[in-house]
């Protein structure tokens, strides 16, 4: 593709729309399979409901006028159902931010301060072990909220420190769990994968186990909300891990995303099946957000996975970026980077620049390190092609495990992709759309994680014949 300078203004016009508009558009078995015509009837579905014109979070509570901040605030609010947030704390923080004037700086400062407060004892008597543990869980949530926007703040260089504060809070929570999760470093290429293996108790009883896969910017606390707590309540084991491009591997070890996610999951499966408290025939794999691309990719090649859930189904993460961003990429690295550095970057306002730094850092160490210095990355081509390489459109037909594909009314990152994934699957499959009528709309149902987990674990229990 040859760059046409006449297309420059239209490209820039979309990018100049601000952080909210840009963030809202990016994101954020049984053997023998069945053909689509033979697939089980979906247990719940609904026709798409169009968003109200100009309404960034249709039908949802408006915490912030900017849809990116609003979506993240809703995630913190929804986490309260699993102890990973407190309604009063979140709403008080929201009011403080709005009063000070919504910005990356006020958002980061407010939620970091809240996390710091919760790492101390509450007023009154000395905190017992459970109080200390669950205050640490909420602190991990709030540090994660601050971390998401820190690259747009006055101190982007504090990103690693802020991640470590959230990680320390998560580890403190885990230490207080009864029993605490087993922690280990599972071998993976040159950098091991940190894992947290949660069990209902310490008995060597073989149990169904779910491997929980995060997305492109989630933290471990999100896995508590979207699977660990629900698994433990049902007598399941749950494995949380940081893969390349996530958590410790990204922010500390500087390892970016890999398109061959089966090479990440297979060592985890090896580690699990060697344990006496894991039923090797009842291993489930879930993927949240962009994990809805990663987990299916892994299941296409790792056939010890007995059930798969994509939350939502995602075939091409690159399509989660607006066309005005995607059209920057050409077959030529030199041409692509010339367009980026000469035509796009000089016109980017700070809020849109911060969004692009955030979206691209999991795919480029250079992008991450530049962002921490308050600079824009100069190599657009490399991370863009890495994101393109995550496409699994031609791979999902290899999946043999029964698969549940989730979709959401008003899905803002991967609209249409869940249904397309479902149609391409040849394994036994179900499609469930969570709806506005249930308060479960938007990407990953931020206001309804309890309903979300009910749908997922009811399906897993039935699929794996777990009473």
């Amino acid at each position: 593709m040859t760059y046409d300078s006449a297309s420059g203004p239209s490209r820039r016009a979309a990018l100049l729309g601000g952080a909210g508009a840009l963030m809202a558009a990016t994101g954020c078995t049984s053997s023998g399979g069945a053909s689509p015509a033979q697939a089980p009837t979906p247990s719940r579905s609904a026709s798409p409901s169009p968003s109200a014109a100009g309404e960034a979070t249709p039908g949802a509570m408006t915490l912030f006028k900017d849809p990116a901040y609003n979506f993240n605030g809703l995630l913190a609010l929804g986490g309260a159902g699993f102890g990973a947030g407190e309604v009063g704390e979140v709403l008080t923080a929201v009011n403080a931010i709005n009063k000070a004037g919504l910005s990356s700086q006020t958002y980061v400062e407010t939620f970091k301060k809240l996390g710091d407060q919760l790492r101390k004892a509450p007023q009154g008597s000395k905190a017992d072990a459970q109080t200390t543990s669950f205050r640490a869980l909420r602190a991990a949530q709030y540090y994660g909220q601050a971390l998401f926007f820190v690259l747009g703040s006055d101190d982007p260089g504090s990103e690693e420190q802020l991640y470590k504060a959230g990680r320390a809070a998560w580890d403190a929570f885990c230490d207080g769990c009864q029993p605490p999760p087993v922690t280990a470093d599972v071998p993976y290429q040159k950098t091991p994968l940190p894992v947290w293996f949660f069990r209902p108790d310490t008995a060597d009883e073989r149990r169904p186990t779910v491997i929980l896969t995060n997305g492109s910017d989630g933290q471990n606390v999100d896995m508590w909300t979207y699977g660990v707590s629900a698994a433990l309540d049902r007598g399941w084991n749950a494995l949380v891990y940081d893969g390349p491009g996530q958590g410790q591997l990204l922010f500390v070890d500087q390892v970016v995303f890999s398109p061959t996610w089966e090479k990440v999951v297979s060592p985890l499966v090896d580690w699990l099946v060697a344990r006496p408290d894991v039923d090797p025939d009842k291993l489930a794999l879930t993927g949240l957000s962009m994990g809805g691309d990663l987990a299916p990719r892994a299941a296409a090649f790792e056939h010890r996975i007995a059930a798969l859930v994509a939350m939502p189904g995602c075939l091409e993460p690159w399509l989660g970026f607006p066309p005005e961003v995607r059209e920057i990429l050409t077959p030529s690295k030199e041409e692509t980077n010339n367009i980026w550095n000469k035509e796009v970057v000089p016109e980017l306002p700070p809020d849109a620049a911060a969004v692009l730094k955030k979206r691209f850092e999991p795919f480029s160490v250079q992008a991450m390190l530049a962002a921490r210095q308050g600079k824009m990355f100069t190599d657009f081509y490399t991370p863009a092609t890495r994101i393109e390489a995550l496409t699994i459109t031609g791979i999902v037909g290899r999946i043999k495990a029964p698969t549940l594909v989730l979709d959401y009314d008003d899905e803002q990152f991967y609209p249409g992709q869940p249904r397309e994934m479902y149609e391409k699957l040849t394994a036994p499959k179900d499609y469930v759309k969570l709806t506005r009528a249930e308060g479960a709309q938007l990407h990953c149902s931020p206001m309804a994680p309890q309903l979300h987990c009910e749908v997922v674990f009811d399906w897993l229990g039935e699929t794996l014949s777990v009473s």
Side-chain angles (χ1 to χ4, degrees):
M1 168 179 155
T2 301
Y3 174 61
D4 179 359
S5 61
S7 68
S10 64
R11 175 191 296 122
R12 292 195 296 270
L15 295 178
L16 301 184
L22 184 57
M23 186 70 83
T26 61
C28 124
T29 188
S30 55
S31 59
S35 67
Q38 298 168 321
T41 302
S43 55
R44 183 192 292 116
S45 64
S47 59
S49 55
S51 303
E55 194 177 357
T57 51
M61 178 181 292
T62 301
L63 304 175
F64 303 107
K65 292 182 179 179
D66 184 296
Y69 293 96
N70 199 65
F71 179 70
N72 277 270
L74 291 176
L75 284 168
L77 204 59
F82 289 102
E86 178 81 291
V87 171
E89 291 169 350
V90 175
L91 294 181
T92 298
V94 167
N95 289 339
I97 293 166
N98 283 327
K99 183 177 180 180
L102 176 63
S103 68
S104 293
Q105 184 64 23
T106 58
Y107 199 97
V108 171
E109 285 180 348
T110 303
F111 275 106
K112 180 183 182 300
K113 181 179 178 181
L114 185 51
D116 291 343
Q117 289 174 347
L118 287 169
R119 294 293 277 134
K120 303 173 184 177
Q123 294 182 1
S125 302
K126 182 179 179 180
D128 64 19
Q130 186 159 357
T131 293
T132 300
S133 179
F134 275 93
R135 283 173 70 87
L137 180 64
R138 302 204 305 277
Q141 171 75 259
Y142 304 143
Y143 285 130
Q145 289 288 320
L147 178 65
F148 192 86
F149 292 101
V150 71
L151 293 182
S153 74
D154 295 344
D155 189 13
S158 66
E159 182 182 50
E160 183 176 344
Q161 179 183 3
L162 192 51
Y163 162 73
K164 288 180 176 178
R167 168 65 182 272
W170 166 255
D171 287 337
F173 163 70
C174 290
D175 288 344
C177 290
Q178 295 300 323
V182 175
T183 58
D185 289 324
V186 173
Y188 169 74
Q189 297 184 357
K190 296 180 180 180
T191 309
L193 308 174
V195 301
W196 296 262
F197 179 68
F198 291 85
R199 306 154 294 165
D201 56 52
T202 58
D204 285 343
E205 174 187 348
R206 294 199 179 276
R207 299 186 183 89
T209 300
V210 59
I211 304 170
L212 302 166
T213 304
N214 221 326
S216 66
D217 43 44
Q219 301 304 314
N220 292 326
V221 62
D222 300 320
M223 295 296 90
W224 175 263
T225 301
Y226 283 91
V228 176
S229 181
L232 294 176
D233 287 345
R234 290 162 173 79
W236 287 52
N237 302 317
L239 185 77
V240 176
Y241 68 99
D242 287 341
Q246 301 171 327
Q248 177 183 308
L249 267 73
L250 174 65
F251 294 113
V252 180
D253 300 327
Q254 299 182 9
V255 179
V256 299
F257 270 113
S258 165
T260 54
W261 208 255
E262 67 278 10
K263 295 180 181 179
V264 179
V265 169
S266 288
L268 301 176
V269 174
D270 291 341
W271 187 85
L272 286 169
V273 299
R275 294 187 58 86
D277 50 3
V278 171
D279 185 338
D281 296 323
K282 294 183 178 180
L283 289 179
L285 177 66
T286 69
L288 184 70
S289 191
M290 201 185 81
D293 169 273
L294 304 173
R297 163 75 197 209
F301 297 94
E302 176 46 81
H303 296 308
R304 289 173 292 179
I305 298 299
L308 169 69
V309 186
M311 314 181 308
C314 172
L315 294 171
E316 296 186 66
W318 186 229
L319 295 182
F321 291 77
E324 294 79 11
V325 172
R326 300 199 309 272
E327 73 172 12
I328 298 168
L329 180 62
T330 78
S332 165
K333 181 175 182 178
E334 180 180 5
E335 181 181 8
T336 296
N337 288 339
N338 280 336
I339 294 170
W340 172 246
N341 291 303
K342 295 179 181 179
E343 299 291 335
V344 178
V345 172
E347 301 293 337
L348 286 174
D351 57 352
V355 170
L356 289 166
K357 291 173 184 176
K358 176 63 179 175
R359 299 254 50 99
F360 277 81
E361 74 166 347
F363 305 95
S364 165
V365 172
Q366 186 262 337
M368 180 175 71
L369 296 180
R372 289 178 176 181
Q373 297 172 7
K375 301 174 183 178
M376 178 57 76
F377 56 94
T378 57
D379 180 6
F380 179 94
Y381 180 88
T382 299
T385 52
R386 283 177 179 155
I387 301 168
E388 264 198 326
L390 291 171
T391 181
I392 58 170
T393 302
I395 294 174
V396 292
R398 299 180 58 145
I399 296 172
K400 296 180 179 179
T403 301
L404 171 63
V405 179
L406 290 191
D407 198 355
Y408 312 94
D409 274 352
D410 308 311
E411 164 64 40
Q412 66 268 48
F413 298 139
Y414 309 123
Q417 293 200 44
R419 188 74 201 188
E420 186 179 355
M421 175 181 283
Y422 173 76
E423 296 295 342
K424 289 182 177 296
L425 286 164
T426 56
K429 58 187 179 178
D430 279 293
Y431 171 90
V432 173
K433 173 169 276 192
L434 299 176
T435 68
R436 297 175 83 182
E438 301 164 300
Q441 72 271 42
L442 301 177
H443 184 67
C444 300
S445 299
M447 299 183 295
Q450 294 179 83
L451 172 62
H452 196 279
C453 286
E454 289 163 3
V455 170
V456 169
F457 281 91
D458 284 351
W459 182 87
L460 286 175
E462 182 176 1
T463 300
L464 297 181
S465 300
V466 178
S467 57

